[in-house]
Amino acid sequence: MTATAPAGGTPEPGPDSTGSSGGGTTPGPAGQSGAPDGTSPPAPVPPTPTRPPDVPPPSPPLPPVSPGAGSGADDGLRTVLPEALGVPAGASRRRRRLWLTVAAVSAVLGGLGGALLAYAMIGPSVTKENDSNKEYDASQPPFTVSVQPERSEPQEWAMVLDRTLTDEEVRRMKTSPDVFSYLTSLGGRPLAYAPFLEHAPQRYNEAQTASGRMELSDTFRMTVMSTRQYAVTINDWKVTDLTCRKSTAQAVIGLPPQGGVAYEGIRLHLPPRADEPVLTDDTEGQGEPYFDNRFVEVGNGQSSGGLRAEVIAPRGQTCEWGIQVHYNDTHRPEGRWVQLKDDQGEPLRIRTESVPDSPRQSWVFGSVPWTACHDEPEGNLCSSL
């Protein structure tokens, strides 16, 4: 029979070998017993140790970490990523690494290929864009032209009016500090004395003086504008649809020249003489065909260009006429003639005046006192009208 340990920790006595149930036991040596009856007392049980309340119980020890082990998230990523890339779930670690390496290299090569393709497409894309810009540019008008009479007062001029002046107007004209402005306010149309082109070829000067009279020009400024991206070059022009009729002017007042200097620009007669328009600048080439060595260029960042034109109509006539210009550009390198049109889209018509043959009133002044040439036809400078 075996003994069990009671709660107190002291073993219960078991029967001896003789079967006696008495209280006899094997005696021990005298003096060694702690009890008066000589029996051994139960061994003392130490109290259960307690821990101070302020000391928390120790954390359980962490399990040992095997080399190469990761967190649960890393393990999940290492499991999900290969499977997302097509690696079988049960593949070995080595095979997974191989698959991941192949996937990374493929991604790099794919990105590089896309970059190379985009770079290769830059050339065709730029070419297509340039072609599109050229098509749009070619669809725009090559240029527009505006023609305005000369506004500034010439050094030497003559003013023509379609009516005669009253006595009061004559008086005010002769006493006005600004005769030009006063006559303009009465409806006068100014003409400018055409300077003698002393540096022009002899053939031109002979034609200029053949009439024996001083020439007067109806001067205007032609402004050329373009929104084209590419340059447009005007390199020739010609007069078209010329019609002339008798002048309706009734009065003419002149401030004759005393030797003037040529203005920068061009000059032509109606109908044009050979080689006109000619250069009027006081430089080399004066009197020579203007478009032989010069041109008007607009577009390509140049917003406008222009010319000052002196146009001389036959004496005693008023003329109307149009202009054709020749231009070339990137889209038409061979060039093209076009008719200039006005703001309404109609062929442009330019009016050019001259002094009347037999005006009812005429005066000259300036270097001489006011002279009524209709009363004194032989008066000083009356031949200048």
Side-chain angles (χ1 to χ4, degrees):
M1 181 173 183
T2 60
T4 61
T10 303
E12 294 181 355
D16 59 13
S17 59
T18 61
S20 175
S21 59
T25 60
T26 304
Q32 296 182 356
S33 170
D37 58 1
T39 61
S40 298
V45 178
T48 303
T50 60
R51 197 173 289 277
D54 57 340
V55 178
S59 301
L62 297 175
V65 179
S66 61
S71 66
D74 290 342
D75 291 341
L77 181 62
R78 292 183 181 184
T79 302
V80 173
L81 183 59
E83 292 180 358
L85 296 175
V87 183
S92 65
R93 178 176 297 181
R94 180 178 179 183
R95 186 176 180 185
R96 293 188 180 196
R97 288 179 179 175
L98 179 61
W99 274 82
L100 289 175
T101 302
V102 172
V105 172
S106 299
V108 172
L109 292 179
L112 180 60
L116 292 175
L117 179 61
Y119 180 79
M121 290 299 293
I122 289 177
S125 177
V126 171
T127 301
K128 184 177 181 180
E129 182 177 357
N130 288 339
D131 291 342
S132 177
N133 289 340
K134 286 183 178 180
E135 289 178 6
Y136 175 78
D137 196 58
S139 69
Q140 303 303 303
F143 52 83
T144 57
V145 175
S146 65
V147 173
Q148 297 292 333
E150 180 71 271
R151 300 297 185 186
S152 58
E153 179 180 349
Q155 279 187 309
E156 301 92 13
W157 49 265
M159 192 79 70
V160 295
L161 295 94
D162 285 338
R163 64 176 180 84
T164 58
L165 303 181
T166 65
D167 292 342
E168 176 60 20
E169 290 171 339
V170 171
R171 185 190 67 78
R172 293 183 62 182
M173 175 184 70
K174 291 181 178 181
T175 58
S176 174
D178 189 349
V179 180
F180 185 88
S181 296
Y182 177 69
L183 292 174
T184 302
S185 70
L186 297 180
R189 300 184 296 278
L191 302 173
Y193 281 94
F196 182 75
L197 303 182
E198 57 182 346
H199 302 298
Q202 184 177 0
R203 67 181 187 279
Y204 190 85
N205 287 334
E206 288 175 352
Q208 187 176 4
T209 59
S211 65
R213 286 179 174 271
M214 301 187 72
E215 294 182 319
L216 287 125
S217 67
D218 198 343
T219 307
F220 66 84
R221 290 189 178 274
M222 183 175 75
T223 303
V224 185
M225 294 166 286
S226 177
T227 59
R228 285 280 186 92
Q229 178 181 354
Y230 301 94
V232 179
T233 302
I234 297 175
N235 51 28
D236 204 356
W237 84 345
K238 58 186 177 183
V239 173
T240 62
D241 306 319
L242 174 65
T243 59
C244 297
R245 56 180 174 79
K246 184 178 179 179
S247 173
T248 58
Q250 298 294 310
V252 56
I253 300 93
L255 176 63
Q258 302 177 51
V261 179
Y263 286 85
E264 179 180 353
I266 60 176
R267 179 185 296 176
L268 75 155
H269 293 76
L270 297 176
R273 297 173 181 173
D275 301 328
E276 287 187 331
V278 298
L279 177 68
T280 60
D281 302 15
D282 192 15
T283 59
E284 181 181 355
Q286 186 183 75
E288 295 288 352
Y290 180 83
F291 288 109
D292 275 5
N293 300 300
R294 292 169 176 78
F295 52 84
V296 178
E297 185 176 87
V298 290
N300 192 28
Q302 302 180 74
S303 58
S304 65
L307 291 171
R308 179 183 184 274
E310 300 174 357
V311 186
I312 303 171
R315 183 179 177 85
Q317 297 188 46
T318 299
C319 299
E320 291 188 356
W321 51 288
I323 302 177
Q324 277 191 357
V325 298
H326 185 271
Y327 79 94
N328 54 22
D329 60 6
T330 301
H331 313 296
R332 287 183 175 272
E334 73 283 1
R336 178 188 178 191
W337 285 98
V338 294
Q339 183 79 33
L340 296 187
K341 297 183 178 181
D342 59 21
D343 296 340
Q344 310 302 319
E346 299 295 328
L348 179 67
R349 301 295 290 169
I350 301 173
R351 177 187 171 102
T352 302
E353 296 268 3
S354 71
V355 295
D357 274 331
S358 303
R360 295 176 59 186
Q361 291 178 334
S362 58
W363 288 270
V364 292
F365 75 105
S367 60
V368 296
W370 280 97
T371 302
C373 295
H374 53 276
D375 292 333
E376 304 176 37
E378 303 301 326
N380 192 17
L381 293 182
C382 287
S383 60
S384 64
L385 293 178

